[in-house]
């Protein structure tokens, strides 16, 4: 597939471009957080508790007088980190298990796919909650556990790609020229199977950001004083009757992030594989 | 089905029991006078001193007789009583509350998503289709717990139209039967809407693409060519085929819906399975957690089975082939 046709198709899709713009801006904000945040995110100011949005504090302050805008800006780092590391973990697991199942077939395939069925049987959010509560909430634990519970889709995708690719001539020629199994899997077949995996990884970041938000909101995610959009919303809930801004803005940040990654992912899918375009 | 269920219980049992820390630690950590001997007695009392395989064997032997064991919490009630309390009216039992909310929200999802999807697919790129596409992307991206907060703020705090927590008003028992139903419905509106919102967005998207796919088939051309009305073509020929993948997606989404119950039952203070599981998780109530995971796994498998039945119902080909 020519790269030019892909970029052409992508750039004609306005929604996809909007997604790319949102994602890029979020990246810049996360990278430059120390420079663009107007206040320090953890300085408590007893004289500015629960101030509504105004000149001094653009988005208001929280119940400890900390600047909400600065906390949201720093929170974007958490979301980004959780999203990427979790997706990295789930993608690697999904690729390895999916390739093994698809390439070897037989009992390896049926064992792995039964395992996938079992994992899909769990209410994954409940499982994540349980494990986090047991091992203790920390940003690393969240990343690892979200990753460990969300690889099933990737595994199924990779397996399906392998099933059709392994019958093709270039694989046969690799086999007859004496290449080892691992070489055939990772050098010959896998690169051809990566397109849908890439798309699902972009969409996976959005899903991971949502899960992190929910976990932190329930108090089982990133722990204060480290700001995360989810744990700011917890204080929004505690002050629901007096401080609307604490509930509205962090949620908007989550919404925009997830929207951005979803639009980008769908746009990439349409651009990379015109079959899906309906 | 049985092997999958067995696998699920093995995985959950080992995750729960191999995680660092024990429930007895939480029970005793606030008591400075506790001696190691007392702690050991406590562990023995709950059967936590045995090797994990033996513990699993005991649990499995009980579960075959539908005995989930007793809760570790101070009331030590049987787990089954916590989930399905026979002393309460049918609709007040935790399992019924969560099932009721989920069934209502699935109905709401189908009620909205199917017409939206069908209309969008028969009028692609129309104004309505564009608006619904925007709605779909927003619906996908809205965190359910945030939506819950916003709605609580708007309808509960600002307008004061709807109650924001619990399932019943304080004066519930003094209301007439009619008013009791009304009162409960009022309490259910927000939770059901919140849990259905994302699903409506997602499902109408799937419905749209599934319908577009179905409408491209040759039999649609045939149906049009033999002069059938457009209504018959869309609703009898296309919709029936387009519903097949929707059934699968709906059934696959059931574990997610049940997992989501944890979030909105905690936010809205609804005394259902979700709230129970959150409490059980926080206090490391092993028997309750295992019981809940087991029940959700069974519910998911039942949903999968239902999907197969619906498939056969919707698609005569499957009925014929499998006998």
């Amino acid at each position: 597939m020519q790269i030019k046709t892909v970029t052409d198709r992508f750039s004609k899709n306005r929604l996809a471009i909007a997604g790319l713009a949102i994602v890029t801006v979020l990246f810049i904000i996360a990278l430059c957080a120390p420079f663009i945040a107007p206040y320090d995110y953890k300085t408590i100011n007893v004289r500015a508790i629960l101030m509504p949005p105004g000149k001094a504090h653009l988005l208001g302050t929280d119940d400890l007088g900390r600047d909400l805008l600065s906390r949201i800006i720093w929170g974007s780092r958490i979301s980004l980190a959780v999203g990427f590391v979790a997706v990295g973990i789930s993608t690697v697991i999904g690729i390895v298990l999916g390739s093994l199942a698809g390439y070897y077939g037989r009992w390896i395939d049926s064992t792995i796919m039964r395992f996938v069925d079992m994992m899909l049987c769990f209410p994954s959010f409940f499982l994540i909650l349980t494990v986090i509560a047991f091992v203790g909430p920390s940003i690393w634990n969240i990343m690892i556990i979200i990753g460990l519970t969300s690889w099933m889709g990737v595994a199924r995708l990779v397996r399906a790609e392998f099933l059709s690719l392994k019958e093709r001539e270039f694989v046969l020629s690799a086999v007859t020229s004496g290449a080892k199994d691992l070489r055939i899997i990772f050098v010959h077949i896998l690169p051809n199977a990566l397109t849908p995996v890439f798309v699902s990884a972009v969409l996976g970041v959005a899903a991971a950001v949502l899960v992190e938000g929910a976990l932190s909101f329930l108090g089982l995610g990133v722990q204060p004083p480290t700001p995360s959009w989810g744990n700011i919303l917890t204080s929004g809930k505690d002050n629901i009757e007096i401080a609307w801004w604490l509930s509205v803005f962090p949620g908007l940040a989550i919404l925009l992030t997830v929207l951005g990654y979803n639009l980008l992912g769908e746009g990439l899918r349409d651009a990379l594989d015109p079959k899906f375009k309906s | 089905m049985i092997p999958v269920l067995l696998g699920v219980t093995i995985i959950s049992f080992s995750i729960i029991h191999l995680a660092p820390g024990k429930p007895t630690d939480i029970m005793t950590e606030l008591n400075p006078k506790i001696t190691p001997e007392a702690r050991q007695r406590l562990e023995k009392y709950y059967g936590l001193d045995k090797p994990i395989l033996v513990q699993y064997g005991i649990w499995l032997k009980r579960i075959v007789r539908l005995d989930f064991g007793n809760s570790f919490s101070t009331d030590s009630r049987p787990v089954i009583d916590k989930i399905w309390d026979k002393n309460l009216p049918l609709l007040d039992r935790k399992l019924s509350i969560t099932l009721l909310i989920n069934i209502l929200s699935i109905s709401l999802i189908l009620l909205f998503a199917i017409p939206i999807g069908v209309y969008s697919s028969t009028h692609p790129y129309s104004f309505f289709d564009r608006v619904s596409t925007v709605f779909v992307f927003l619906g996908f991206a809205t965190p359910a717990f945030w939506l819950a907060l916003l709605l609580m703020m708007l309808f509960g705090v600002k307008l004061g139209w709807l109650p924001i927590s619990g399932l019943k008003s304080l004066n519930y028992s003094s209301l007439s039967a009619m008013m009791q139903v009304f009162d409960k419905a009022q309490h259910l509106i927000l939770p059901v809407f919140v849990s259905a919102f994302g699903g409506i967005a997602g499902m109408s998207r799937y419905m749209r693409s599934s319908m577009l796919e179905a409408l491209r088939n040759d039999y649609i051309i045939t149906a049009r060519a033999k002069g059938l009305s457009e209504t018959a073509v869309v609703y009898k020929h296309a919709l029936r085929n387009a519903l097949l993948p929707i059934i699968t997606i709906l059934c696959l989404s059931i574990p997610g819906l049940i997992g989501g119950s944890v979030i909105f039952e905690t936010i809205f203070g609804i005394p259902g399975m979700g709230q129970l599981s959150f409490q059980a998780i926080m206090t490391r109530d092993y028997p309750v957690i295992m019981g809940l995971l087991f029940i959700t796994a069974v519910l998911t498998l039942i949903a999968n089975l239902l999907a197969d039945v619906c498939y056969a119902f919707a698609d005569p080909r499957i009925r014929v082939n499998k006998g």
Side-chain angles (χ1 to χ4, degrees):
Chain A
M1 184 184 324
Q2 271 97 29
I3 291 188
K4 188 160 182 317
T5 44
V6 174
T7 46
D8 273 2
R9 248 186 265 140
F10 187 84
S11 55
K12 280 202 195 97
N13 185 344
R14 266 181 295 171
L15 285 176
I17 294 292
L20 183 65
I22 295 175
V23 169
T24 315
V25 170
L26 280 168
F27 251 103
I28 296 172
I29 290 178
L31 281 179
C32 307
F35 310 110
I36 52 178
Y39 293 84
D40 181 61
Y41 68 87
K42 51 185 188 305
T43 307
I44 294 171
N45 181 355
V46 282
R47 259 175 274 160
I49 285 173
L50 290 176
M51 296 243 287
K55 272 209 190 95
H57 299 275
L58 275 180
L59 300 183
T61 60
D62 68 2
D63 43 0
L64 294 174
R66 296 171 296 195
D67 181 56
L68 184 57
L69 177 62
S70 310
R71 288 185 71 74
I72 290 181
I73 289 175
W74 279 90
S76 71
R77 289 192 160 191
I78 302 288
S79 294
L80 216 63
V82 172
F84 276 78
V85 177
V87 165
I89 295 173
S90 69
T91 309
V92 170
I93 300 177
I95 286 180
V96 170
L97 290 182
S99 332
L100 291 178
Y103 185 75
Y104 288 108
R106 293 162 188 265
W107 66 269
I108 298 185
D109 182 32
S110 45
T111 312
I112 292 178
M113 291 332 274
R114 279 304 77 72
F115 187 50
V116 168
D117 287 345
M118 284 173 204
M119 290 299 289
L120 285 173
C121 233
F122 281 107
S124 65
F125 188 73
F126 184 31
L127 187 67
I128 294 174
L129 264 185
T130 312
V131 180
I132 296 270
F134 284 14
V135 298
S138 83
I139 181 164
W140 289 104
N141 288 342
I142 297 173
M143 292 170 175
I144 294 169
I145 288 157
I146 296 179
L148 287 180
T149 48
S150 57
W151 50 270
M152 291 83 77
V154 182
R156 283 190 161 176
L157 273 178
V158 174
R159 172 179 176 267
E161 290 287 314
F162 265 67
L163 285 182
S164 72
L165 285 170
K166 74 173 176 188
E167 308 293 335
R168 301 265 285 272
E169 277 90 357
F170 70 88
V171 177
L172 189 65
S173 82
V175 174
T176 47
S177 60
K180 292 212 174 66
D181 279 359
L182 280 182
R183 191 177 162 80
I184 298 176
I185 292 177
F186 289 107
V187 180
H188 294 277
I189 306 185
L190 191 58
N192 292 296
L194 283 182
T195 311
V197 174
F198 182 57
V199 171
S200 97
V202 175
L203 296 173
V205 173
V209 168
L210 275 177
V211 174
E212 186 275 323
L215 282 175
S216 300
F217 176 70
L218 289 175
L220 286 171
V222 178
Q223 298 297 304
T226 308
S228 113
W229 296 335
N231 70 29
I232 304 175
L233 281 170
T234 315
S235 62
K237 183 183 186 252
D238 296 339
N239 299 295
I240 190 168
E241 289 174 17
I242 38 178
W244 56 269
W245 54 94
L246 278 181
S247 293
V248 172
F249 297 121
L252 269 181
I254 299 181
L255 186 139
L256 265 181
T257 310
V258 177
L259 189 67
Y261 282 97
N262 278 342
L263 289 174
L264 180 64
E266 300 256 331
L268 281 173
R269 166 152 59 202
D270 289 346
L272 290 166
D273 193 344
K275 264 191 316 218
F276 283 110
K277 182 100 184 149
S278 36
Chain B
M1 239 172 103
I2 300 293
V4 172
L5 196 56
L6 211 60
V8 168
T9 60
I10 293 176
I11 298 175
S12 20
F13 203 87
S14 27
I15 290 177
I16 290 171
H17 285 258
L18 293 178
K22 286 187 169 174
T24 44
D25 296 345
I26 294 185
M27 292 172 196
T28 51
E29 75 187 346
L30 290 176
N31 183 353
K33 283 194 202 138
I34 193 95
T35 57
E37 290 78 39
R39 198 172 282 190
Q40 267 168 11
R41 271 204 307 279
L42 206 55
E43 268 174 32
K44 194 161 180 199
Y45 174 71
Y46 289 121
L48 294 170
D49 54 338
K50 299 189 182 72
I52 178 166
L53 263 176
V54 178
Q55 288 186 45
Y56 179 70
I58 295 173
W59 182 83
L60 199 63
K61 230 197 255 164
R62 280 208 199 122
I63 209 79
V64 199
R65 285 177 276 128
L66 280 182
D67 175 5
F68 293 80
N70 290 343
S71 160
F72 282 0
S73 65
T74 39
D75 58 9
S76 324
R77 287 170 64 196
V79 174
I80 196 80
D81 278 2
K82 290 205 157 191
I83 298 167
W84 189 252
D85 191 342
K86 292 215 175 67
N87 297 322
L88 289 173
L90 186 66
L91 280 179
D92 283 356
R93 299 175 190 168
K94 290 194 189 304
L95 184 60
S96 354
I97 291 175
T98 302
L99 280 182
L100 176 72
I101 293 178
N102 278 309
I103 289 170
L104 285 175
S105 91
I106 289 176
S107 321
L108 201 65
I109 290 173
L110 293 178
L111 201 68
F112 280 96
I114 293 179
I116 293 177
V118 170
Y119 191 87
S120 297
S121 68
T122 47
H123 303 77
Y125 305 108
S126 63
F127 176 70
F128 178 86
D129 187 28
R130 278 167 207 277
V131 172
S132 76
T133 305
V134 172
F135 163 74
V136 163
F137 275 108
L138 286 179
F140 264 138
T142 310
F145 59 96
W146 182 57
L147 184 68
L149 275 186
L150 291 188
L151 293 177
M152 279 161 84
M153 211 151 61
L154 181 65
F155 292 106
V157 179
K158 279 259 154 59
L159 299 171
W161 290 352
L162 293 170
I164 58 173
S165 111
L167 262 189
K168 295 169 174 175
S169 302
L170 286 174
N171 59 352
Y172 182 80
S173 50
S174 65
L175 295 172
S176 65
M178 263 298 283
M179 288 307 283
Q180 284 189 343
V181 173
F182 181 70
D183 183 66
K184 213 167 209 177
Q186 245 188 345
H187 282 85
L188 280 174
I189 291 177
L190 287 184
V192 169
F193 179 75
V194 167
S195 69
F197 186 73
I200 295 176
M203 202 60 83
S204 55
R205 189 71 180 168
Y206 289 125
M207 194 64 221
R208 177 182 183 268
S209 55
S210 176
M211 271 299 278
L212 281 173
E213 192 111 323
L215 283 168
R216 267 203 297 265
N217 279 310
D218 288 343
Y219 57 76
I220 296 295
I221 303 178
T222 314
R224 287 210 174 107
K226 70 180 182 185
L228 281 183
S229 70
E230 193 59 24
T231 328
V233 173
V234 170
Y235 291 99
K236 280 209 158 145
H237 293 241
L239 181 59
R240 201 159 165 181
N241 283 287
L243 278 179
L244 282 176
I246 300 300
I247 295 172
T248 317
I249 292 166
L250 192 67
C251 289
L252 278 178
S253 70
I254 286 187
L257 277 173
I258 296 176
S261 306
V262 181
I263 305 177
F264 60 77
E265 283 184 14
T266 314
I267 299 179
F268 287 111
I270 293 169
M273 298 247 289
Q275 205 185 46
L276 178 67
S277 50
F278 191 67
Q279 287 158 358
I281 289 170
M282 296 316 264
T283 52
R284 297 209 177 196
D285 200 338
Y286 287 177
V288 176
I289 300 175
M290 274 309 291
L292 289 167
L293 276 171
F294 182 77
I295 289 176
T296 38
V298 170
L299 285 177
T300 311
L301 288 171
I302 291 177
N304 287 346
L305 200 70
L306 267 180
D308 287 344
V309 176
C310 295
Y311 249 83
F313 189 68
D315 188 350
R317 281 169 300 187
I318 296 172
R319 244 179 327 201
V320 175
N321 286 345
K322 284 189 181 164

